[in-house]
Amino acid sequence: MKLIAGVDVGGTFTDVLLYNTETTELELAKVFSTSGMQSAGLMTGLRQTGAPLDRLDAVVHGTTVATNAVLERKGARTALVVTTGFRDVLELRRRDRPTTYGLTGTYVPLIPRSLSFEIDERIGADGQVVTALEDSVIDDLVDRLRTAEVQSVAICLMNSYVNAAHEERLAARLRTSLPDISVTTSAEVAPESGEFERASTTAVNAFVGAGMTRYLDAVQDELESEGFANDVQVMQSNGGVMPVRRAGPLAVRTLLSGPAAGTMGAAAFGRAAGLPDVISCDMGGTSFDVALIPDGQPTLTAESSIEYGIPLRVPMIAITTIGAGGGSIASIDRAGILQVGPESAGSTPGPACYGRGGTRPTVTDANIVLGRIAADQKLGTQTGFSLDQQAAVEAIREHVADPLAMSIADAALAIVRLANERMAGAIRGVSVDKGHDPRQFALIGFGGAGPLHVAELARIIGATKVLVPPNPGALSAYGCLIADVKYDFVSAVAADLASCTADHVARVLADQAQRGLATLSNDGFAEADTTVEHAAEMHFSKQMHTIRVPLGHDENGWTPDRLEEAFLAAYRELYGGRIPASPVRVASLRTVVQGKRNAVGTVRTSRVGDGVASEPRAVVFEDGAHVIHEIDRTQLGVGDIVEGPTIIVQTDSTVLLPPKATAVVHESGSLIVEVNQ
């Protein structure tokens, strides 16, 4: 018997799924996250499952530690080392603006200019040394960094993606002379062209790396103290996992760890239900994460952004995040207009109905007032926790209903409606804005609050089908269970196609594949359990952004003509045409190696009761109040049909079926909901 734990630490709840490989059963724990001490919630959840930690074969962890450090500016005191003349690279960025017609912005770089240090050295675009890096320059830098009392250093020198010799030499000296300081080089985390994006990625990694390493080491040590004998695996933003010993130095690759896991879980259940084209809608307590999943595979991007002005040049699942969760706070602005989010009540103090000190109304409070969450309903498995309906009523009355001269029910409905419109906008952003018709996709609702809203979101955007997985409130933890080990390798090319001979492309791809397979071998994977996939990042001349062109697993035979043919086909599929008489360039060559972990199948449900409904209660929908019977999801078996309006409850979430919606239990355990427009 093997026991595998998937853990996702969110802003409000920590979810743990324990999978037994013999019985294929899942044990769920959903407890409050502990702000500033995420490992405490993790350990509480693991212990609540009742599994002896010394018998766990694997722990796979999705975390928001790195993300929160960036958003809250609570990372290490970090210095940036650049070539003379580039001290302002983070401030200058691309000179874009957060709003098209805005004249001012609030952008603040992670590393202040006072901690940006220039050194005399220069490598040309061809990789040749223009100005040598002298020992005296390094000695002077060591003294300045020591005086500045920094905890971490990000090194981003000109053209180091072509020749990393100066960065490597400088990093080696700093690690020797300043052993207590963490050092990150751009050649290690983002060896690609694009000075600002490379510097930003390196700065983020240095900013969060030390804290991430401390956190992961603490988790590993605490588990080992109770008998756990393996490496903790950490979810990456690309949808794969890696051992904890590699995650600290590459912390930037874990920034969208939890949402990426949820997207992988959504893709798996979409395929299992025969719905390959889906849009994942992850609504937790703090945020709403949405991703396009065409043909069963999440969309990947080589560049994303964690916040305005902080781009990341690392492979990531393309996920859009907005501040719209169950804990999003409703308020009236200075113009007397209702606003919902992005500020969240989090787990502490939480929504007013949680009785943990919160007094401001949230989306969760509105759902309780509308009867969509029952006053006596148990949320999660946190011991000693119950809801306070009257506190929700008073919070909405004081902060929304009375200021707007509305009834409490109308105010609550307005909060939900506004939150839904914001989330629908995010769905259009990943579909319509990318040339996809959202009406042709099914929505997958998950997260603690997602199933409460996803059917209404489908109606807003015109979709007709919704899927709710068996454990929607812990789908990110499930994504951790099924993810494979994955490593990305990239080599900058930055040249016209004519310069990319087939021999050169083959050498680069073969070298990356060899390094990746060696890494997987060190992780204990047999050759039969590994795969290799190559890709090229390409663009037309004078374009800034690239598109990913799949090259398959074979590195040979990629002549300039064949590369151009593959690029034009991908470009036409994405944009419907091409730029006449514009040469094609190769920005970089990528290789992804993957180690197959023991698969965890989708969990099937079976009938465990007679399906008796609860006492009726009034629930407010858009067309008014309806008296409904609440249904326990554990009482439903494969093939059962449920007509809306009704509420389906389970430990980790609540499913809302509005009027004219019909749900059927699929053999994969998911609810397939038909939403009539």
Side-chain angles (χ1 to χ4, degrees):
M1 178 181 69
K2 288 187 177 181
L3 298 175
I4 305 172
V7 183
D8 175 58
V9 180
T12 305
F13 284 99
T14 291
D15 305 320
V16 177
L17 279 180
L18 183 72
Y19 180 72
N20 186 315
T21 58
E22 283 189 3
T23 65
T24 68
E25 293 178 345
L26 284 175
E27 183 75 22
L28 168 71
K30 192 178 187 71
V31 299
F32 281 124
S33 295
T34 46
S35 180
M37 296 178 58
Q38 291 197 359
S39 60
L42 180 151
M43 296 303 296
T44 298
L46 282 172
R47 293 189 180 102
Q48 197 177 89
T49 64
L53 300 186
D54 59 348
R55 292 176 57 195
L56 287 177
D57 290 274
V59 175
V60 189
H61 184 15
T63 174
T64 58
V65 169
T67 307
N68 292 344
V70 174
L71 297 179
E72 299 173 9
R73 296 297 199 274
K74 292 181 179 179
R77 178 176 168 83
T78 305
L80 176 65
V81 179
V82 296
T83 304
T84 297
F86 289 84
R87 184 181 183 186
D88 299 306
V89 61
L90 295 182
E91 282 83 358
L92 290 175
R93 56 190 193 279
R94 292 294 177 190
R95 302 309 299 164
D96 54 350
R97 293 175 291 186
T99 55
T100 303
Y101 300 104
L103 298 178
T104 61
T106 58
Y107 170 74
V108 177
L110 288 179
I111 302 175
R113 191 173 188 272
S114 60
L115 292 179
S116 183
F117 300 94
E118 296 180 331
I119 60 171
D120 289 329
E121 67 81 40
R122 186 68 176 239
I123 289 177
D126 58 358
Q128 299 300 310
V129 176
V130 177
T131 302
L133 177 60
E134 303 292 346
D135 287 339
S136 59
V137 172
I138 301 178
D139 291 339
D140 178 63
L141 177 64
V142 168
D143 292 339
R144 287 191 288 167
L145 291 174
R146 185 180 288 115
T147 301
E149 298 182 342
V150 297
Q151 300 166 307
S152 185
V153 177
I155 303 174
C156 186
L157 304 181
M158 274 296 292
N159 297 316
S160 64
Y161 63 92
V162 182
N163 181 354
H166 284 184
E167 282 196 357
E168 292 170 352
R169 181 178 161 209
L170 181 58
R173 175 63 185 282
L174 292 182
R175 286 166 179 151
T176 301
S177 301
L178 303 170
D180 295 330
I181 292 179
S182 175
V183 178
T184 296
T185 69
S186 69
E188 294 170 325
V189 297
E192 301 183 66
S193 60
E195 193 68 16
F196 167 55
E197 290 78 11
R198 188 160 57 92
S200 176
T201 305
T202 308
V204 170
N205 194 79
F207 187 75
V208 303
M212 187 69 170
T213 298
R214 286 193 301 271
Y215 168 71
L216 293 176
D217 286 348
V219 171
Q220 183 75 43
D221 291 344
E222 190 161 0
L223 286 170
E224 287 180 354
S225 70
E226 300 199 26
F228 181 65
N230 301 303
D231 281 343
V232 173
Q233 301 289 320
V234 181
M235 194 73 192
Q236 301 179 72
S237 305
N238 64 2
V241 301
M242 60 179 168
V244 67
R245 64 181 182 277
R246 304 188 195 280
L250 296 173
V252 69
R253 298 194 176 188
T254 69
L255 277 166
L256 291 180
S257 175
T263 305
M264 296 299 292
F269 276 103
R271 293 191 299 267
L275 299 171
D277 295 327
V278 298
I279 298 174
S280 64
C281 302
D282 179 3
M283 184 181 182
T286 305
S287 63
F288 177 71
D289 306 305
V290 58
L292 190 77
I293 308 176
D295 198 25
Q297 296 298 324
T299 303
L300 293 174
T301 179
E303 182 179 320
S304 186
S305 179
I306 187 65
E307 187 181 82
Y308 169 73
I310 307 181
L312 302 173
R313 186 64 66 83
V314 290
M316 308 175 80
I317 294 177
I319 298 172
T320 295
T321 300
I322 64 171
S328 293
I329 294 173
S331 61
I332 307 300
D333 66 14
R334 291 185 299 175
I337 298 174
L338 176 64
Q339 303 291 337
V340 177
E343 184 182 1
S344 173
S347 59
T348 305
C353 62
Y354 281 12
R356 294 165 61 89
T359 60
R360 301 169 68 187
T362 66
V363 175
T364 297
D365 293 311
N367 278 317
I368 285 183
V369 169
L370 296 174
R372 300 180 178 195
I373 298 176
D376 59 353
Q377 185 170 328
K378 183 174 177 59
L379 300 184
T381 61
Q382 181 75 43
T383 57
F385 171 59
S386 60
L387 297 175
D388 185 343
Q389 183 184 36
Q390 191 57 38
V393 170
E394 292 303 320
I396 291 177
R397 182 203 308 276
E398 178 182 352
H399 294 278
V400 179
D402 287 351
L404 295 180
M406 303 172 68
S407 70
I408 294 174
D410 286 344
L413 197 60
I415 292 170
V416 170
R417 187 183 296 122
L418 182 55
N420 285 344
E421 288 294 343
R422 292 192 63 219
M423 290 186 285
I427 295 172
R428 295 186 186 102
V430 302
S431 56
V432 177
D433 289 1
K434 305 297 182 183
H436 298 274
D437 185 348
R439 296 172 297 183
Q440 305 303 316
F441 287 73
L443 302 188
I444 298 187
F446 60 102
L452 261 175
H453 295 258
V454 67
E456 292 182 335
L457 291 177
R459 282 185 172 162
I460 293 173
I461 67 168
T464 59
K465 192 162 289 188
V466 161
L467 183 148
V468 181
N471 294 108
L475 190 65
S476 290
Y478 176 82
C480 291
L481 289 177
I482 65 172
D484 294 326
V485 173
K486 185 184 293 187
Y487 296 109
D488 292 276
F489 297 85
V490 60
S491 294
V493 178
D496 290 336
L497 272 176
S499 303
C500 300
T501 64
D503 287 343
H504 175 70
V505 172
R507 282 196 303 272
V508 172
L509 296 181
D511 175 68
Q512 292 179 160
Q514 184 178 7
R515 286 187 286 147
L517 292 174
T519 303
L520 288 176
S521 178
N522 290 334
D523 288 346
F525 285 93
E527 184 177 351
D529 296 326
T530 62
T531 60
V532 177
E533 292 292 330
H534 303 296
E537 294 290 337
M538 303 175 67
H539 62 104
F540 283 114
S541 179
K542 298 183 180 180
Q543 283 187 325
M544 177 183 297
H545 298 289
T546 64
I547 64 172
R548 190 185 189 96
V549 181
L551 303 182
H553 64 274
D554 190 0
E555 58 262 17
N556 296 307
W558 288 103
T559 63
D561 288 343
R562 191 179 172 200
L563 282 173
E564 182 174 28
E565 181 182 351
F567 168 73
L568 293 178
Y571 196 91
R572 279 193 297 268
E573 182 178 355
L574 192 59
Y575 297 112
R578 64 158 293 166
I579 299 177
S582 182
V584 177
R585 291 177 60 83
V586 179
S588 60
L589 294 171
R590 296 185 177 276
T591 299
V592 179
V593 296
Q594 199 159 316
K596 188 69 175 176
R597 297 172 59 233
N598 292 328
V600 175
T602 53
V603 181
R604 300 190 177 195
T605 57
S606 59
R607 186 183 301 279
V608 295
D610 56 10
V612 176
S614 67
E615 291 296 319
R617 75 170 188 270
V619 177
V620 180
F621 294 89
E622 287 288 341
D623 62 350
H626 292 257
V627 176
I628 63 98
H629 286 275
E630 181 182 281
I631 299 173
D632 186 338
R633 188 167 179 175
T634 63
Q635 306 299 312
L636 298 174
V638 174
D640 281 356
I641 297 174
V642 181
E643 300 283 348
T646 193
I647 302 288
I648 302 173
V649 298
Q650 55 190 103
T651 302
D652 57 321
S653 189
T654 302
V655 184
L656 176 76
L657 290 185
K660 300 181 181 179
T662 303
V664 60
V665 182
H666 188 265
E667 62 179 8
S668 65
S670 295
L671 294 173
I672 308 296
V673 183
E674 294 288 342
V675 181
N676 295 320
Q677 296 295 327

